[in-house]
Amino acid sequence: MAKLDETLTMLKKLTDAKGIPGNEKEVRQVMRSYIEPYADEVTTDRLGSLIAKKTGPTDGPKIMISGHLDEVGFMVTRIDDRGYLYFQTVGGWWSQVMLAQRVTIVTKKGDITGVIGSKPPHVLSPEARKKPADIKDMFVDIGASSREEAMEWGVLPGDQIVPYFEFTVMNNEKMLLAKAWDNRIGCAIAIDVLRNLKETHHPNVVYGVGTVQEEVGLRGAKTAAQTIKPDIAFGVDVGIAGDTPGITEKESTSKMGKGPQIILYDASMVSHKGLRDFVTKVADEANIPYQFDALSGGGTDSGSIHLTANGVPALSITIATRYIHTHAAMLHRDDYENTVKLITEVIKRLDQETVANITYD
């Protein structure tokens, strides 16, 4: 592996951390350790979302930068008498990316390695072989010989099962491969924006937030936004990369390395036009590359945040990422760095008057 600089070390620690929806403690601890030096205070709401506050003038507008802590994974629901684990998906999974993949079961006695299995094709009928395996027929094999042995090792129903993958810098060192980019990259962006603002004058109160349970319904964003009551919000997340074989321009025009994606529309929100226009104007002035995208399905924390109280102008800014909701996703470091730069420059230009103009544009 290439030698890791300070940024890559942070990204590795964030993506290595294990945290499916409802089990985000380990990730929250990593994010807190990195963001605390740049915040005036760090708190946690009662669902577990982390809220780091950096204050300019106390009467300045409240700006929320939201990345979610959780990753897609699984939960143990049953242990059979032979020691196999049956599970519930937690977050969206496609069955064809799951079989024979290594996983980690997080138990009260420590981590246990497992592999996702199903009936081998050798014993299937020719017709059955042509069909994708059904998730309900899959299980996790941890090498136990009985339910009792699995439980002696610490496994219990309700334990989280997390994809396993080694953080990897590719031969092209701008390309980074890891589990859980969705959405540890959003957490990293929130950290680095606060880092940039630490010694910078800006008339705002900025909140870098790591929300919980995004993958099961944007839930932590609801409670965190109710706590903060922001004036402006940015949901930072991964988006679809359109530069892999088989994807047409009708499905996605985004390219890795060509700048952050400004989301026009997704299933959770129509982006706020005034905020979108302001952000793209700042990007043009600062010569920061960006690209537009729209999604017919899916959503980000912005989908919950913009409905808070009497409404919050919100925009999703995402990073084109390949192979999301699998064990291994890939993104481009330049997109990450340009997203940090863009949000930093936007915040430096926001004040009460500008926010009022954006709000009522």
Side-chain angles (χ1 to χ4, degrees):
M1 179 186 287
K3 185 176 180 181
L4 302 185
D5 58 26
E6 182 181 352
T7 296
L8 291 176
T9 298
M10 177 180 73
L11 295 176
K12 174 176 167 54
K13 287 182 178 178
L14 283 167
T15 54
D16 282 354
K18 298 176 285 294
I20 71 165
N23 297 261
E24 295 93 348
K25 180 179 179 180
E26 182 180 334
V27 193
R28 184 169 58 247
Q29 290 172 334
V30 175
M31 184 175 180
R32 183 175 192 130
S33 72
Y34 276 101
I35 205 167
E36 203 160 32
Y38 314 117
D40 298 320
E41 65 178 32
V42 181
T43 57
T44 304
D45 73 15
R46 292 172 69 183
L47 270 193
S49 294
L50 180 143
I51 302 171
K53 179 181 179 182
K54 175 62 180 171
T55 305
T58 55
D59 62 346
K62 293 185 284 189
I63 315 300
M64 180 176 178
I65 308 159
S66 180
H68 65 86
L69 298 165
D70 56 311
E71 63 188 296
V72 293
F74 316 95
M75 178 187 289
V76 178
T77 55
R78 178 170 65 91
I79 309 169
D80 75 11
D81 57 7
R82 295 171 294 175
Y84 293 107
L85 313 183
Y86 290 83
F87 59 84
Q88 165 70 46
T89 56
V90 187
W93 281 92
W94 187 37
S95 64
Q96 293 191 66
V97 301
M98 291 169 53
L99 280 182
Q101 294 292 333
R102 180 173 167 175
V103 293
T104 303
I105 300 86
V106 182
T107 82
K108 61 184 179 181
K109 292 186 177 180
D111 294 349
I112 293 176
T113 295
V115 62
I116 298 176
S118 71
K119 189 183 294 187
H122 310 74
V123 299
L124 297 177
S125 68
E127 292 73 23
R129 290 184 205 175
K130 297 175 185 177
K131 299 176 183 178
D134 196 313
I135 292 174
K136 67 179 175 58
D137 296 325
M138 298 180 190
F139 50 83
V140 174
D141 187 347
I142 59 171
S145 59
S146 67
R147 178 187 294 110
E148 291 72 25
E149 185 171 38
M151 294 181 71
E152 283 172 12
W153 295 348
V155 181
L156 287 171
D159 286 344
Q160 64 168 323
I161 305 172
V162 183
Y164 176 90
F165 194 83
E166 292 277 352
F167 179 91
T168 304
V169 179
M170 308 292 280
N171 272 11
N172 173 354
E173 294 188 359
K174 297 283 191 178
M175 303 291 256
L176 307 177
L177 188 67
K179 79 170 184 67
W181 280 133
D182 185 3
N183 183 28
R184 308 295 158 68
I185 197 63
C187 300
I189 290 166
I191 293 166
D192 274 348
V193 170
L194 258 66
R195 186 200 310 262
N196 285 352
L197 294 172
K198 183 170 176 61
E199 304 300 332
T200 301
H201 176 76
H202 61 90
N204 306 291
V205 182
V206 182
Y207 295 84
V209 182
T211 62
V212 297
Q213 299 191 42
E214 190 269 357
E215 295 292 0
V216 289
L218 317 181
R219 296 172 186 172
K222 291 183 175 70
T223 57
Q226 289 288 355
T227 300
I228 295 166
K229 295 184 172 59
D231 297 296
I232 293 286
F234 298 101
V236 284
D237 211 319
V238 298
I240 302 299
D243 54 1
T244 55
I247 297 182
T248 66
E249 288 208 349
K250 184 178 180 181
E251 293 164 328
S252 177
T253 59
S254 294
K255 307 288 190 294
M256 292 174 68
K258 300 300 182 183
Q261 299 166 307
I262 307 298
I263 301 300
L264 306 171
Y265 171 94
D266 63 34
S268 71
M269 186 182 73
V270 178
S271 68
H272 190 278
K273 185 180 185 303
L275 183 55
R276 184 186 76 215
D277 290 348
F278 182 79
V279 168
T280 54
K281 179 175 179 287
V282 170
D284 291 338
E285 290 172 353
N287 294 313
I288 300 169
Y290 62 91
Q291 46 196 335
F292 291 112
D293 210 346
L295 302 170
S296 59
T300 74
D301 278 343
S302 298
S304 282
I305 296 167
H306 82 288
L307 299 174
T308 302
N310 62 338
V312 180
L315 180 68
S316 296
I317 302 178
T318 61
I319 291 179
T321 305
R322 297 174 183 166
Y323 324 122
I324 62 174
H325 286 221
T326 72
H327 273 59
M330 187 187 301
L331 54 71
H332 197 291
R333 183 168 177 171
D334 286 355
D335 293 335
Y336 160 64
E337 293 178 348
N338 278 318
T339 303
V340 172
K341 183 179 178 183
L342 176 57
I343 296 175
T344 302
E345 291 301 316
V346 166
I347 291 172
K348 285 160 63 176
R349 289 165 170 79
L350 289 173
D351 54 29
Q352 289 283 25
E353 182 181 357
T354 306
V355 168
N357 289 337
I358 288 170
T359 301
Y360 300 109
D361 193 319

